Structures are given as C-alpha cells and as structure tokens.
Amino acid sequence: MKYLKGLFNSFIFILGISMPLSLAIAAGESVNNKAVQAQPTDSQKVTAEKSELKDREEKAFPEKLNINTASTEQLAKELNGVGIKKAQAIIEYREKYGPFTAVEQLQEVQGIGPAFIEKNRDKLTY
C-alpha cells in the first residue's frame, strides 16, 4: 500500500511539473522564460517603490480641493452635492468677498449649509 501511495504521489508530482511546461511549449513560449528576462536595476526598483508608495498615499490621503483656487468644473466634479450653479455661486462669492479663510465660511454661500460642509470637509482646504 505504501508503494502505491508513493507511486501515486510521484505521478502527481511529475504531472504537475510537466503540464505547465507542455502548455508553455505548445503556446510557443520559452521554457526558461524567467531566466531570459532582464533583472531590474536598483534604480528601477527604487523608482517602482516610490511610485507604489505615492499611489498608496494618494488613496489613503487624497489631494484636497482648494476652494480659493478651484475652477467651476473642479468644484462640481469633486464635491458631493455641488453642480455647476452652486460651483458658480462659490466662485462669485470669493470674487466678491475675497478668499475663504475657513471651510465653514462656505455656509455663507446661498444653497450651502452645514450638512454640505460635513459631507465634504475631508475634501476641502482653503
């Protein structure tokens, strides 16, 4: 029984190795595909790591929208509950009264209330 079990395990092992090789050969690929590929240099590794870190930071800490410099399109696109008309009202307010000195000051714009501020607080800066 032990002999049959060992024979079966050997058969499965050989089948597991030969199957991917036969598929690679059938597809016209090199069997030693990894050995042929060039290894990345240290500077390429560092560049890739920096890029990956930047992507993670952007996901964790998305860039905030500056309410004093954003365009109508940016405001309408990035903020929840803001269309073109509210975005234009924000811009008109800052042109008339000067730059915002606090996010809460947006409540002075007609049509914007405390609920809007709370929904968008993490996206805004001044």
Side-chain angles (χ1 to χ4, degrees), residues 40-89:
T41 63
D42 287 340
S43 64
Q44 289 171 331
K45 288 179 185 176
V46 169
T47 303
E49 288 172 0
K50 285 182 180 179
S51 176
E52 185 179 325
L53 180 61
K54 183 179 177 185
D55 291 343
R56 274 192 259 142
E57 285 177 353
E58 286 177 357
K59 288 178 186 174
F61 304 106
E63 191 172 321
K64 293 190 175 199
L65 184 65
N66 188 322
I67 55 178
N68 289 318
T69 59
S71 67
T72 304
E73 292 81 18
Q74 289 173 320
L75 290 167
K77 180 183 174 189
E78 299 294 327
L79 300 179
N80 296 330
V82 173
I84 296 296
K85 289 190 177 191
K86 278 189 186 177
Q88 288 172 341

Side-chain angles (χ1 to χ4, degrees), residues 2-126:
K2 287 184 181 181
Y3 175 73
L4 288 175
K5 189 174 183 180
L7 186 63
F8 178 75
N9 287 340
S10 298
F11 176 75
I12 296 299
F13 178 75
I14 292 170
L15 183 66
I17 291 176
S18 64
M19 184 67 88
L21 293 177
S22 63
L23 292 175
I25 292 169
E29 297 177 3
S30 170
V31 175
N32 285 329
N33 197 13
K34 291 186 179 180
V36 174
Q37 294 177 347
Q39 296 295 323
T41 63
D42 287 340
S43 64
Q44 289 171 331
K45 288 179 185 176
V46 169
T47 303
E49 288 172 0
K50 285 182 180 179
S51 176
E52 185 179 325
L53 180 61
K54 183 179 177 185
D55 291 343
R56 274 192 259 142
E57 285 177 353
E58 286 177 357
K59 288 178 186 174
F61 304 106
E63 191 172 321
K64 293 190 175 199
L65 184 65
N66 188 322
I67 55 178
N68 289 318
T69 59
S71 67
T72 304
E73 292 81 18
Q74 289 173 320
L75 290 167
K77 180 183 174 189
E78 299 294 327
L79 300 179
N80 296 330
V82 173
I84 296 296
K85 289 190 177 191
K86 278 189 186 177
Q88 288 172 341
I90 292 170
I91 291 174
E92 288 172 9
Y93 181 91
R94 78 176 182 218
E95 287 173 351
K96 185 175 181 180
Y97 298 105
F100 292 96
T101 57
V103 173
E104 289 75 16
Q105 194 176 4
L106 275 172
Q107 293 181 50
E108 296 174 16
V109 177
Q110 186 175 0
I112 296 180
F116 167 83
I117 302 293
E118 290 308 312
K119 282 194 294 189
N120 293 288
R121 182 177 300 280
D122 58 333
K123 297 178 184 179
L124 296 171
T125 188
Y126 55 93

